[in-house]
Amino acid sequence: MYRCQSAEKLVELNERYRIFGRFRPSTIVDLAAAPGGFAQVALELMRTQWIAPQSALPPVVIAVDQRPIAPMPGLVAVRGNILQHQRILHTVQGILSQRTVSTKSSPLASSSARTAPLVRSVDMVLHDGVSVVKGQRTSSITYAQNQMALSSLLLASKLFQRFGPMPDLSTEAERPHPRKPEGCVSGSTSAPHVSSPVLPVCFVSKVLYCDHFPQVLAATRTLFRHVSTCKPLATRPDSLERYVVATHFQPAVWRRLTAPHAPAPQKNLNRRRKRNRPAASASLFSMAPAPEDCDRAHNIVWTCLGCGRTCLGCQPCVQCGPYRAEEDTAGSMTL
């Protein structure tokens, strides 16, 4: 028996897209993981004989949440806020370094590779967080959830860029069309064909279908080669939940987005803020709340994920500007 109903949704997503069979992950990071339904399914699938990891490393799920998670074999629970990216990256780096395995005792390693330890890489990132984010309780649930999904997308990109597997040049072919269960609402897109290598990884995130949904989807399409959306049959008929399944991360696009660039002059920025300005400041990752998201709280405080600025009210970030629908094309963002 699974810990929560969301576990059934991951089972259904895997049956549809075969993400565990195709990528055979050995290390997964589960964001906003409590009570552990996604992690439970992931460990179960990773131990299945025909989905066993390609390497000799035992399966591990790094589950991050501010709430406690009951232990299970293969689970590494981390108490933390998934919005604090640097802290999570530092913690994951420490766990990966501690979980390396010597190939001398590994029967699955080749004789030529038994002199060096097997180093873990982050192969998959899952996000099925709650719909209310700490510090955003004055905003609507749909805005809070999609802002957290956008933040999880950025964190997953950082995890793949720093700790992902080696690039794969054999994934240039189009992704096979998944089996479509009856009654499943879904859609899929693929980024334009490019010659740059991609990482054989997968990102799964819950998003709420609302006015902010196209922006989250556009940002995901920018960073991943193949992106699909689906409403699992396990969700309630009246639910706004959708799941984004993105595969084959594009490091070249990420490097282009985060390349240093000259910011527009801001009179109200002090020198310290200029020195600490985050590299990525595209309006695609700047999601301002709409007036209907704020109810009667006109002075809502929100964080721009494009530049890291703290903004007030429903106006777009003064540095990144408003999101425009024409930016919904992979590789077309202007920094």
Side-chain angles (χ1 to χ4, degrees):
M1 179 179 296
Y2 293 123
R3 295 185 174 186
C4 56
Q5 185 181 4
S6 63
E8 300 288 348
K9 301 171 187 176
L10 183 58
V11 172
E12 184 177 338
L13 290 173
N14 181 64
E15 290 177 351
R16 173 173 170 77
Y17 297 104
R18 305 185 302 277
I19 52 179
F20 283 86
R22 291 164 55 200
F23 296 99
R24 298 172 64 185
S26 62
T27 308
I28 295 177
V29 177
D30 188 4
L31 303 175
F38 265 31
Q40 185 180 8
V41 172
L43 287 169
E44 180 182 283
L45 291 173
M46 292 162 72
R47 294 192 181 102
T48 304
Q49 182 177 2
W50 56 87
I51 308 182
Q54 301 183 59
S55 68
L57 294 168
V60 167
V61 172
I62 304 173
V64 184
D65 203 295
Q66 297 185 92
R67 298 173 292 169
I69 304 175
M72 68 180 80
L75 179 74
V76 180
V78 176
R79 295 289 292 272
N81 187 344
I82 65 171
L83 301 179
Q84 298 175 350
H85 291 189
Q86 290 304 318
R87 183 173 181 271
I88 299 302
L89 290 170
H90 179 74
T91 303
V92 170
Q93 182 179 20
I95 295 173
L96 294 178
S97 62
Q98 295 173 4
R99 293 274 171 166
T100 56
V101 175
S102 174
T103 55
K104 293 182 179 180
S105 59
S106 175
L108 298 180
S110 61
S111 58
S112 61
R114 292 185 181 181
T115 58
L118 294 174
V119 180
R120 284 191 178 274
S121 62
V122 176
D123 307 308
M124 186 178 295
V125 175
L126 307 174
H127 170 245
D128 188 47
V130 296
S131 300
V132 177
V133 182
K134 184 178 180 181
Q136 292 181 326
R137 297 185 184 276
T138 56
S139 61
S140 69
I141 292 178
T142 54
Y143 173 76
Q145 175 66 43
N146 288 347
Q147 177 80 334
M148 186 166 66
L150 196 61
S151 177
S152 298
L153 170 65
L154 287 175
L155 179 54
S157 300
K158 296 173 184 178
L159 288 167
F160 291 144
Q161 180 68 25
R162 297 190 187 186
F163 313 121
M166 295 295 293
D168 187 1
L169 295 174
S170 63
T171 54
E172 299 297 327
E174 289 294 325
R175 174 182 53 82
H177 186 71
R179 181 175 61 86
K180 183 176 181 180
E182 183 179 356
C184 182
V185 179
S186 66
S188 63
T189 59
S190 297
H193 177 83
V194 292
S195 58
S196 59
V198 295
L199 302 187
V201 295
C202 179
F203 171 64
V204 179
S205 178
K206 179 174 72 176
V207 186
L208 295 188
Y209 192 80
C210 64
D211 292 340
H212 300 291
F213 177 77
Q215 182 173 351
V216 179
L217 188 59
T220 310
R221 289 171 177 167
T222 300
L223 294 169
F224 289 85
R225 180 69 55 83
H226 304 295
V227 179
S228 301
T229 60
C230 178
K231 180 179 180 180
L233 299 177
T235 59
R236 300 187 310 273
D238 59 342
S239 174
L240 297 176
E241 289 184 0
R242 301 292 189 274
Y243 283 84
V244 175
V245 179
T247 64
H248 303 108
F249 178 72
Q250 304 182 96
V253 176
W254 174 257
R255 287 192 295 268
R256 185 167 70 249
L257 288 175
T258 57
H261 58 282
Q266 300 289 337
K267 296 181 180 180
N268 59 341
L269 292 181
N270 54 33
R271 293 182 179 180
R272 181 178 180 181
R273 177 166 293 184
K274 287 183 179 180
R275 288 197 304 268
N276 296 335
R277 182 183 59 83
S281 59
S283 60
L284 189 63
F285 296 93
S286 180
M287 182 186 292
E292 54 268 23
D293 292 323
C294 304
D295 195 14
R296 289 172 292 182
H298 299 292
N299 293 328
I300 182 175
V301 177
W302 60 280
T303 301
C304 173
L305 299 176
C307 64
R309 290 172 58 91
T310 299
C311 304
L312 182 66
C314 300
Q315 298 300 320
C317 174
V318 296
Q319 179 167 328
C320 296
Y323 163 71
R324 295 178 296 274
E326 57 266 22
E327 292 175 350
D328 190 1
T329 303
S332 65
M333 296 172 57
T334 302
L335 298 183

